[in-house]
């Protein structure tokens, strides 16, 4: 029997597991193949939905499901912490000491918030953290005006367009409450502009200017002082705030470091076309876990899942053909609470967002709802 292990059960791990189960249904039924997902929790959070919680667009209950219910019944789910990934000996070891050997491994351990890398950063409210997103909803309801600083601590981070979305949704939220004229919004970003891809930055920075949002960049945060309510950068800026929103630094999972298979930020070296781990033909990397210079986004993981699943299926069936990833990414960008745009791009074609429209806003909301029934279950 061939065993496929998916290390991690977030968006990436769940989609690729279900896609494999669909394509290998005959082999699974015959007992020729086994698919195991190993994840520390039985709870599955649709993280992009966290961004909508502070503005009352969605509720916590709408973005959480049971992992077992999302997985194909033929997939075995193991709820355990992974303590080591031993690629030399083709095994995944869990915290209780159990070793799971594999014929093919998919590492989908994701990206994780590093609040403590920046002193005082816990004073910043962040929709990248579910509990913080819930608290921010309460804070915004009682907000009466002042200076709001929005900070991106470090690149890369998951949902690259989300800081811009958060800023523009906040702008709209405050306008609707009659508080925008009483509020200064300052957006800080580690590199020049408001976004790292020039074609998108050129479009979005004009929208920021039209909305009267001040941009301070490059701004690489070094410290947040909760008592003084200031945020400082290595460029020498010191901004005062009444409310601070932001994105904490991200790293790959600790198990990547403990296993000695990542770079200094725990991203795993990945072939940009085959999505195989460098120098390991039986290990694939998917989603936020890769070191690829593309968006760490749910849609990226979805596009990657076709390639990873296809190549594993070819390997198991003895086919010599190889699927290649073209770097595809698709992200909706909320530009308010009833308007949006999007970016669609790959390795060869840069993104150019179309003019904001309510159609794209509703597309974003529909995409979020369809995640549970279509995307996560790899229906298409």
């Amino acid at each position: 029997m061939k065993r496929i292990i998916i290390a991690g059960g977030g968006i990436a791990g769940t989609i690729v597991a279900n896609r494999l189960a669909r394509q290998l249904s005959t082999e699974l039924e015959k007992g020729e193949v086994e698919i195991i997902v190993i994840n520390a929790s039985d709870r599955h959070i649709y993280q992009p939905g966290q961004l909508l919680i502070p503005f009352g667009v969605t509720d916590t209950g709408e973005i959480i499901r049971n992992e077992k219910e999302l997985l194909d019944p033929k997939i075995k789910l193991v709820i355990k912490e992974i303590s080591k990934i031993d690629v030399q000996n083709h095994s995944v070891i869990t915290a209780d000491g159990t070793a799971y050997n594999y014929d093919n491994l998919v590492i989908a351990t994701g990206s994780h918030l590093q609040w403590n890398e920046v002193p005082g950063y816990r004073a910043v409210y962040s929709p990248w953290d579910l509990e913080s997103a819930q608290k921010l909803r309460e804070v915004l309801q009682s907000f009466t005006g002042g200076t709001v600083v929005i900070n991106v601590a470090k690149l890369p981070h998951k949902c690259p367009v989300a800081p811009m979305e958060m800023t523009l949704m906040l702008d709209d939220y405050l306008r609707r409450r009659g508080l925008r004229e009483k509020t200064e919004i300052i957006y800080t970003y580690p590199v020049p502009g408001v976004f790292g891809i020039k074609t998108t930055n050129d479009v979005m920075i004009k929208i920021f200017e039209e909305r009267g949002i001040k941009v301070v960049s490059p701004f690489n945060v070094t410290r947040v002082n909760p008592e003084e309510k200031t945020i400082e950068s290595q460029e020498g800026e010191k901004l005062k705030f009444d409310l601070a929103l932001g994105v904490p630094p991200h790293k790959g999972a600790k198990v990547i470091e403990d296993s000695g298979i990542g770079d200094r930020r725990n991203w795993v070296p990945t072939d940009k076309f085959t999505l195989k781990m460098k120098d390991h033909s039986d290990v694939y990397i998917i989603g936020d876990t890769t070191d690829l210079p593309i968006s760490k986004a749910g849609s990226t993981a979805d596009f990657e899942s076709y390639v990873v699943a296809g190549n594993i299926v070819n390997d198991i069936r003895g086919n010599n053909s190889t699927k290649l990833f073209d770097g595809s990414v698709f992200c909706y960008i909320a530009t308010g609470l009833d308007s949006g745009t999007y970016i669609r791009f790959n390795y060869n074609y840069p993104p150019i967002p179309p003019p904001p429209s309510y159609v794209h806003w509703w597309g974003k909301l529909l995409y979020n709802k369809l995640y549970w029934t279509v995307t996560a279950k790899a229906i298409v």
Side-chain angles (χ1 to χ4, degrees), residues 106-305:
V106 181
I107 304 179
T109 46
S111 54
H112 302 268
L113 308 183
Q114 307 297 307
W115 292 92
N116 295 333
E117 277 192 19
V118 179
Y121 211 84
R122 281 282 182 186
V124 176
Y125 292 95
S126 178
W128 277 252
D129 175 86
L130 181 56
E131 189 180 336
S132 189
Q134 293 165 328
K135 287 179 181 173
L136 178 57
R137 185 174 187 160
E138 295 172 20
V139 168
L140 287 177
Q141 286 170 353
S142 59
F143 185 72
T144 56
T147 300
V148 181
V149 172
I150 293 164
N151 171 259
V152 178
K154 187 184 282 285
L155 302 176
H157 59 81
K158 53 189 154 196
C159 294
V161 300
M164 296 187 295
E165 293 186 283
M166 176 167 61
T167 305
L168 295 171
M169 283 194 288
L170 176 67
D171 170 80
D172 194 359
Y173 177 88
L174 294 173
R175 287 179 195 279
R176 290 169 187 236
R177 291 191 53 209
L179 295 170
R180 186 62 182 93
E181 289 182 3
K182 299 176 183 176
T183 308
E184 181 179 30
I185 300 176
I186 303 173
Y187 180 91
T188 69
Y189 201 62
V191 297
V194 298
F195 191 63
I197 301 173
K198 187 180 184 306
T199 51
T200 303
N201 178 69
D202 290 348
V203 172
M204 297 305 296
I205 205 161
K206 286 178 183 171
I207 296 174
F208 274 52
E209 287 169 0
E210 288 165 6
R211 303 279 187 90
I213 296 162
K214 183 179 177 182
V215 176
V216 179
S217 65
F219 185 103
N220 288 274
V221 62
T222 54
R223 181 171 179 254
V224 178
N225 188 319
E227 288 77 33
E228 292 182 7
K229 289 199 166 186
T230 56
I231 180 167
E232 301 171 35
S233 75
Q234 68 182 37
E235 289 79 13
E237 296 274 0
K238 186 174 184 177
L239 303 174
K240 194 117 173 84
F241 64 81
D242 296 292
L243 176 62
L245 317 183
V247 190
H250 284 49
K251 280 178 79 173
K254 186 175 182 296
V255 68
I256 301 299
E257 181 180 2
D258 294 343
S259 304
I261 57 174
D263 62 17
R264 62 186 182 85
R265 299 296 296 176
N266 300 346
W267 312 123
V268 181
T270 306
D271 184 283
K272 68 184 286 191
F273 297 115
T274 65
L275 300 177
K276 289 181 178 179
M277 179 180 175
K278 297 275 178 72
D279 303 321
H280 292 276
S281 62
D282 59 351
V283 181
Y284 290 86
I285 317 298
I286 191 169
D288 292 1
T289 314
T290 77
D291 70 341
L292 300 179
I294 55 173
S295 298
K296 293 189 183 298
S299 71
T300 309
D302 190 17
F303 285 121
E304 290 171 340
S305 73

Side-chain angles (χ1 to χ4, degrees), residues 51-52 55 57 164-173 175-176 204 207 211 333-341 356-358 360-362 364-365:
L51 186 67
L52 302 176
F55 306 103
V57 179
M164 296 187 295
E165 293 186 283
M166 176 167 61
T167 305
L168 295 171
M169 283 194 288
L170 176 67
D171 170 80
D172 194 359
Y173 177 88
R175 287 179 195 279
R176 290 169 187 236
M204 297 305 296
I207 296 174
R211 303 279 187 90
I333 307 174
T335 53
L337 294 174
D338 61 1
S339 70
T341 180
S357 157
Y358 76 92
H360 304 317
W361 167 254
W362 287 108
K364 177 182 176 71
L365 297 185

Side-chain angles (χ1 to χ4, degrees), residues 338-350:
D338 61 1
S339 70
T341 180
Y342 66 86
I343 50 175
R344 173 80 167 88
F345 61 105
N346 60 27
Y347 290 142
N348 297 316
Y349 297 98

Side-chain angles (χ1 to χ4, degrees), residues 3 12 39 53 68 88 145 159 200 212 218 237 247 262 289 315 329 374:
R3 178 184 278 174
N39 194 53
I53 288 174
K68 184 74 176 172
Q88 304 304 330
C159 294
T200 303
E237 296 274 0
V247 190
T289 314
D315 182 48
V329 179
V374 177

